[in-house]
Amino acid sequence: MQTPTPHPRQFTGRHMLLLMLAFFGVIIIVNLTMATVASRSWTGLVVKNSYVASQAFNRELEQAKLQAARGWTGDITYRGGAVVLSLTDKAGQPVILDSSVVEIGRPAYEQADHRVAMVHQGNGIYHAKDNLPPGIWQVSVRGTSSQGDYRLDSRLIIKADAKQ
């Protein structure tokens, strides 16, 4: 007695339709997921209105030239739970600012952006208390004095294992 041989299943149009729907369904789901994650993390905007920002460009260049001519040197660090700015002039003497503020944020994540007023501690040292988690932070210090405005843009890298 012979055993019946099984008939191989045929690949029909229905199978092809299901295969195509599954293939493109996965692609669409991945694209939607990536678009949602991207739109929630960073808008891509550097400035809200590029035309208005461009109008101030020449003024900012002139301010940068004046600051360079004054010879002020700023060093920014993070220690003891505070952003610390040390500011000196050409002769190494401390520079006293009338007011100063630091804008802190992630380079590509606007939700963490915030401003903190800096407090003068003496000898050109300014502190802004802020508990920053590890990672890369963009800091922008803005200050005013009778001698002119001061600006410093920098990045801070805070390590998880470092004692700050």
Side-chain angles (χ1 to χ4, degrees):
M1 183 173 228
Q2 285 189 346
T3 58
T5 58
H7 295 291
R9 295 186 79 184
Q10 288 188 340
F11 189 76
T12 64
R14 182 180 212 179
H15 292 118
M16 185 64 184
L17 175 66
L18 291 174
L19 183 68
M20 294 298 286
L21 288 175
F23 176 77
F24 285 108
V26 168
I27 290 174
I28 290 169
I29 289 171
V30 168
N31 283 340
L32 289 174
T33 302
M34 296 299 282
T36 302
V37 169
S39 68
R40 288 184 180 168
S41 64
W42 188 46
T43 63
L45 291 177
V46 176
V47 293
K48 295 203 185 306
N49 187 329
S50 59
Y51 176 75
V52 171
S54 73
Q55 300 304 300
F57 182 74
N58 288 337
R59 185 172 51 248
E60 289 178 12
L61 279 180
E62 189 62 32
Q63 289 293 330
K65 288 178 187 175
L66 291 172
Q67 180 174 313
R70 285 191 297 267
W72 291 0
T73 304
D75 180 44
I76 195 152
T77 59
Y78 181 77
R79 62 178 183 258
V83 176
V84 180
L85 170 69
S86 173
L87 188 58
T88 56
D89 63 12
K90 286 181 189 177
Q93 297 300 314
V95 174
I96 308 302
L97 298 173
D98 298 330
S99 67
S100 59
V101 66
V102 61
E103 296 174 4
I104 305 169
R106 297 285 192 181
Y109 190 73
E110 293 173 344
Q111 286 80 357
D113 292 0
H114 59 284
R115 299 177 93 178
V116 181
M118 299 195 88
V119 178
H120 187 236
Q121 303 290 313
N123 284 337
I125 306 292
Y126 299 85
H127 282 226
K129 290 280 185 199
D130 202 347
N131 188 17
L132 299 176
I136 299 174
W137 292 90
Q138 179 72 33
V139 293
S140 298
V141 176
R142 305 287 184 270
T144 59
S145 78
S146 59
Q147 299 170 335
D149 292 342
Y150 179 73
R151 175 180 176 167
L152 174 66
D153 296 316
S154 183
R155 288 206 176 171
L156 293 176
I157 299 174
I158 301 173
K159 296 181 180 175
D161 59 346
K163 303 236 188 236
Q164 303 294 335

